[in-house]
Amino acid sequence: MRLRSRFTTAVFALSVSLSTATWAENALDCYAEDLDLRIRGCTILLEGNLTPLDRAQALSSRALALSMKTWYGEAIKDYDNALAINPNSAVARNNRAWAYFRWGRGADGLEDVEHSLRLEPTSGAAYDTRAHIRQSLGNTSAALTDYRMAMTFGGERMVKMYQCGLLEHGLYKGPIDGTPNPQLDDALAICVKDTVCDPLPADEECRMGTT
């Protein structure tokens, strides 16, 4: 799943003190890889007495799981509530922008990703999000610039992702080695002209090779 590969590193640590083993288990579940377990754990956790920051983090974690299950409307509600508490969370801003994009409402996420990049101007993931949104809006030149910035700051893994994804589209014939090259840039330049061409891979095996 595409969002899993992008955002599984966006896991927050809870500082709240939990009085029972059950609550401690729910705290761990709220950041689990299993999406249903995460949603259930966060929901139970949010029923408790959390500090505002911990509540924002749990809401963001549940929102990510909801988004990964393609329940974008529910995810965005959780991001709204999280950002009402902590409006300067770069990760939550970027993830809400991505949820809007995946929901077919990329323009609604543009302000979020711009805000995220102001907070973290070296985020490869945020540049990738903005590139996707700009591409979907037909802003070809700006999208291509953002994809290049995503590779600059996202490093070898992001480059491999694009190499792998563009190989799936038949646009790239070079190696999957995480090293930018003219073939990759040419493939991106072709892909970005199509508003529905995604340079990120859909194939799970291809994704696994980039981790």
Side-chain angles (χ1 to χ4, degrees):
M1 185 178 295
R2 188 239 186 239
L3 280 171
R4 183 183 301 278
S5 62
R6 280 168 52 89
F7 296 123
T8 48
T9 57
V11 173
F12 305 96
L14 283 174
S15 62
V16 66
S17 296
L18 301 172
S19 58
T20 68
T22 299
W23 279 95
E25 183 177 335
N26 289 328
L28 292 174
D29 289 347
C30 187
Y31 302 96
E33 287 288 321
D34 182 278
L35 300 183
D36 292 323
L37 184 62
R38 179 185 294 202
I39 292 167
R40 183 167 61 251
C42 289
T43 299
I44 294 171
L45 199 63
L46 286 162
E47 293 171 354
N49 184 25
L50 302 178
T51 67
L53 182 57
D54 290 335
R55 180 168 296 277
Q57 291 172 344
L59 283 164
S60 293
S61 185
R62 186 172 68 178
L64 178 58
L66 291 167
S67 185
M68 291 163 70
K69 289 178 73 70
T70 72
W71 299 344
Y72 301 117
E74 294 179 52
I76 287 168
K77 288 178 183 177
D78 270 357
Y79 283 129
D80 289 345
N81 290 329
L83 287 164
I85 299 169
N86 183 17
N88 288 326
S89 169
V91 172
R93 287 277 178 187
N94 181 54
N95 286 2
R96 186 169 69 174
W98 184 255
Y100 271 122
F101 166 71
R102 295 291 291 174
W103 204 17
R105 295 172 53 184
D108 291 335
L110 194 56
E111 182 179 348
D112 268 338
V113 73
E114 297 279 6
H115 192 159
S116 180
L117 281 166
R118 287 194 296 272
L119 293 166
E120 291 189 7
T122 60
S123 170
Y127 275 109
D128 176 73
T129 297
R130 192 171 68 174
H132 277 82
I133 291 174
R134 285 176 162 178
Q135 180 181 350
S136 72
L137 297 175
N139 195 346
T140 302
S141 178
L144 183 57
T145 297
D146 276 348
Y147 281 128
R148 289 168 176 160
M149 294 295 284
M151 289 190 291
T152 296
F153 294 117
E156 179 180 335
R157 182 173 180 276
M158 186 67 77
V159 175
K160 281 186 176 181
M161 292 283 280
Y162 290 161
Q163 289 173 331
C164 192
L166 292 166
L167 179 67
E168 290 177 5
H169 285 293
L171 298 176
Y172 176 69
K173 305 296 183 182
I176 310 296
D177 61 0
T179 302
N181 58 60
Q183 287 176 286
L184 177 60
D185 198 67
D186 289 345
L188 272 172
I190 294 171
C191 179
V192 79
K193 295 175 183 177
D194 182 346
T195 57
V196 297
C197 178
D198 189 346
L200 291 166
D203 184 84
E204 287 295 329
E205 289 187 12
C206 186
R207 285 179 176 279
M208 289 175 63
T210 67
T211 59

